[in-house]
Amino acid sequence: MEPHRKIIHIDMDAFYASVEQRDHPELRGKPVIVGGPPNSRGVVATCSYEARQFGIHSAMASSRAYRLCPRAIFVRPRMEVYRQVSGQIRAIFRQYTDLIEPLSLDEAFLDITRTERQPNSATWLAREILQRIHQQTGLTASAGVSYNKFLAKVASDCHKPAGLTVITPDQAADFIAQLPIRRFFGVGKVTEKKMHRLGITCGADLLTYQEHELVRLFGKQGRFFYHIARGIDDRPVIAHRQRKSIGNETTLGEDIRDRDQMLTILSALAEKIEARMAHAQTAAHTLTLKIKFADFQQITLSFTNASPLQSAADMMTIATTLLHDSAAGERAVRLLGLTLSNLVGQDTGNTDGQLSLPFGTPATGIDTAQSSHHPHEVYA
Ligand code: TTP
Ligand code: MG
């Protein structure tokens, strides 16, 4: 029997699109699409509820969205703003618990088992969190409250927007029995098709299968399906450690002295870091170049930029300067590394959740005049 937990899942409503409607009142009440423009190969990141009525949804080609609703208004994502809002809502979550597991910028699990002020107050806490989010950001979120992650997440989706849905242990069996199979955690399009072929369309159908049958059909996931069909999901809410940096390094096949060759290698590293930054939806202020010379002596050179860095091109502008400031070339090099730190949108220790960084400035362009540090060399 799993210990009785209280889990809240919070998810912002039409997140990027709602931020755009908040900041541009002329977009309110209109079909708004955040993503690539319609005449491009771009896709829809998300769209307003008005646009969803036309069948438009996330990950759809922008060209198709345009055909579905030619009067839809397309806007480019403003990631810095979304990250800032994300910081604000996480600061609100922290007022309730340390056990916060963000799933993306707009979504998180909170384990409030220890926070609960009195029995059955989880619902009150969830309502309070939604109210604070609305007061402080001007945006709405939806919440699901239950005794495990699976049910809390499904619940938050039940009454969007601005919905609060509670699933008590008593209600769980009936709730899961009627739940369409695609709403089960981990069921994508492929699994859904396979389930339908087996005649499994909802939770009740899943209950008719033995654990070993589901394992035979779906591998390890089968065991998970068996348990969640019975309302059992012991996965803990895991508070993510704040990521401090994103970096990459490579030991060269042979020692090199040619700086152009070094820059080519650094470019490849920068590209990889750019992809990871995009995946983590973050940007960073400090770039560190690490050089290990052929004699194994290692140095790092850092530069802190006033505006956040995200692109490989920005990283390379700085890395090139740092490399030229070093003895690389005069001395043979055996390892090169790049790391971005001072990440934006991470926990900065501010209790008010406001990021201490200037937002609204584009993340491109190197702003050396305002940089707070001069490059410095640290000998390891
Ligand atoms: P979601 O929470 O999945 O969607 P949403 O907040 O826009 O709408 P809902 O009310 O249904 O929760 O995703 C959060 C944000 O993540 C979304 O606003 C945009 C971004 N996103 C993408 O960029 N691409 C995607 O494919 C998805 C699903 C989301
Ligand atoms: Mg959302």
Side-chain angles (χ1 to χ4, degrees):
M1 182 69 195
E2 66 176 7
H4 204 70
R5 294 182 294 160
K6 290 290 166 71
I7 314 287
I8 301 179
H9 179 259
I10 307 265
D11 188 309
M12 302 295 286
D13 301 322
F15 183 43
Y16 297 0
S18 304
V19 173
E20 296 310 323
Q21 289 181 322
R22 176 193 71 176
D23 295 349
H24 304 101
E26 70 277 14
L27 298 180
R28 292 180 197 163
K30 303 214 171 115
V32 174
I33 292 171
V34 182
N39 55 358
S40 71
R41 290 162 163 278
V43 293
V44 175
T46 193
C47 59
S48 66
Y49 283 93
E50 293 84 354
R52 290 182 197 194
Q53 289 171 2
F54 295 86
I56 299 167
H57 55 76
S58 293
M60 176 182 278
S62 295
S63 52
R64 173 142 179 253
Y66 176 77
R67 285 196 298 277
L68 288 171
C69 179
R71 66 183 175 86
I73 301 159
F74 285 78
V75 282
R76 292 259 181 205
R78 292 182 301 148
M79 293 309 301
E80 328 80 63
V81 184
Y82 312 145
R83 271 195 292 271
Q84 189 203 14
V85 174
S86 186
Q88 281 181 296
I89 64 171
R90 283 186 199 166
I92 294 170
F93 300 157
R94 279 197 295 277
Q95 295 167 356
Y96 294 86
T97 177
D98 290 330
L99 268 180
I100 303 163
E101 182 177 332
L103 298 180
S104 66
L105 285 183
D106 88 322
E107 192 185 340
F109 286 113
L110 282 63
D111 184 329
I112 54 145
T113 312
R114 289 158 178 275
T115 322
E116 220 189 357
R117 293 165 197 156
Q118 59 198 52
N120 303 319
S121 70
T123 311
W124 292 103
L125 292 184
R127 185 166 292 128
E128 209 175 279
I129 292 170
L130 295 184
Q131 279 167 357
R132 286 199 186 178
I133 289 176
H134 190 245
Q135 279 162 6
Q136 292 183 28
T137 69
L139 300 165
T140 64
S142 296
V145 183
S146 197
Y147 59 92
N148 64 38
K149 284 167 107 172
F150 163 60
L151 287 168
K153 184 161 164 75
V154 177
S156 72
D157 211 32
C158 281
H159 296 102
K160 269 181 168 289
L164 170 61
T165 307
V166 182
I167 301 172
T168 65
D170 293 347
Q171 299 163 338
D174 287 345
F175 179 85
I176 297 166
Q178 57 74 43
L179 198 65
I181 208 68
R182 93 187 98 82
R183 304 271 307 272
F184 278 71
F185 191 90
V187 175
K189 285 220 170 77
V190 176
T191 310
E192 184 185 6
K193 271 204 182 124
K194 187 167 169 183
M195 292 257 187
H196 281 184
R197 275 203 304 275
L198 292 163
I200 307 173
T201 61
C202 65
D205 301 331
L206 206 51
L207 278 180
T208 63
Y209 281 78
Q210 305 276 318
E211 182 169 358
H212 68 88
E213 293 176 303
L214 290 174
V215 170
R216 183 169 48 78
L217 289 162
F218 298 101
K220 230 174 101 182
Q221 244 193 340
R223 181 164 301 124
F224 182 67
F225 292 147
Y226 177 83
H227 284 110
I228 57 176
R230 286 157 182 78
I232 300 165
D233 172 13
D234 291 331
R235 290 172 303 161
V237 173
I238 298 168
H240 285 198
R241 276 189 307 130
Q242 293 287 339
R243 192 202 284 278
K244 292 274 191 298
S245 64
I246 293 183
N248 219 324
E249 60 181 46
T250 183
T251 301
L252 313 173
E254 55 188 45
D255 299 345
I256 57 171
R257 281 179 185 275
D258 179 13
R259 279 193 177 167
D260 287 337
Q261 213 178 332
M262 293 178 203
L263 288 173
T264 308
I265 291 157
L266 289 171
S267 280
L269 292 175
E271 298 281 347
K272 284 188 190 149
I273 296 170
E274 179 185 280
R276 288 172 61 196
M277 295 295 284
H279 184 74
Q281 300 194 321
T282 188
H285 286 270
T286 302
L287 182 78
T288 300
L289 168 67
K290 173 170 156 184
I291 302 171
K292 199 186 272 184
F293 294 109
D295 62 4
F296 284 84
Q297 189 200 20
Q298 184 176 300
I299 61 163
T300 58
L301 299 112
S302 301
F303 185 82
T304 297
N305 203 58
S307 52
L309 309 162
Q310 206 171 20
S311 72
D314 285 353
M315 287 179 240
M316 284 312 293
T317 309
I318 294 175
T320 306
T321 311
L322 293 177
L323 188 73
H324 283 278
D325 283 347
S326 78
E330 291 139 44
R331 297 171 63 185
V333 167
R334 74 182 316 270
L335 174 148
L336 287 167
L338 284 179
T339 302
L340 281 177
S341 57
N342 252 327
L343 301 189
V344 174
Q346 305 281 314
D347 190 348
T348 53
N350 294 358
T351 48
D352 63 359
Q354 297 294 327
L355 295 160
S356 54
L357 305 162
F359 280 96
T361 45
T364 50
I366 307 300
D367 211 351
T368 45
Q370 290 176 44
S371 71
S372 48
H373 292 183
H374 290 293
H376 59 276
E377 247 177 82
V378 181
Y379 286 86

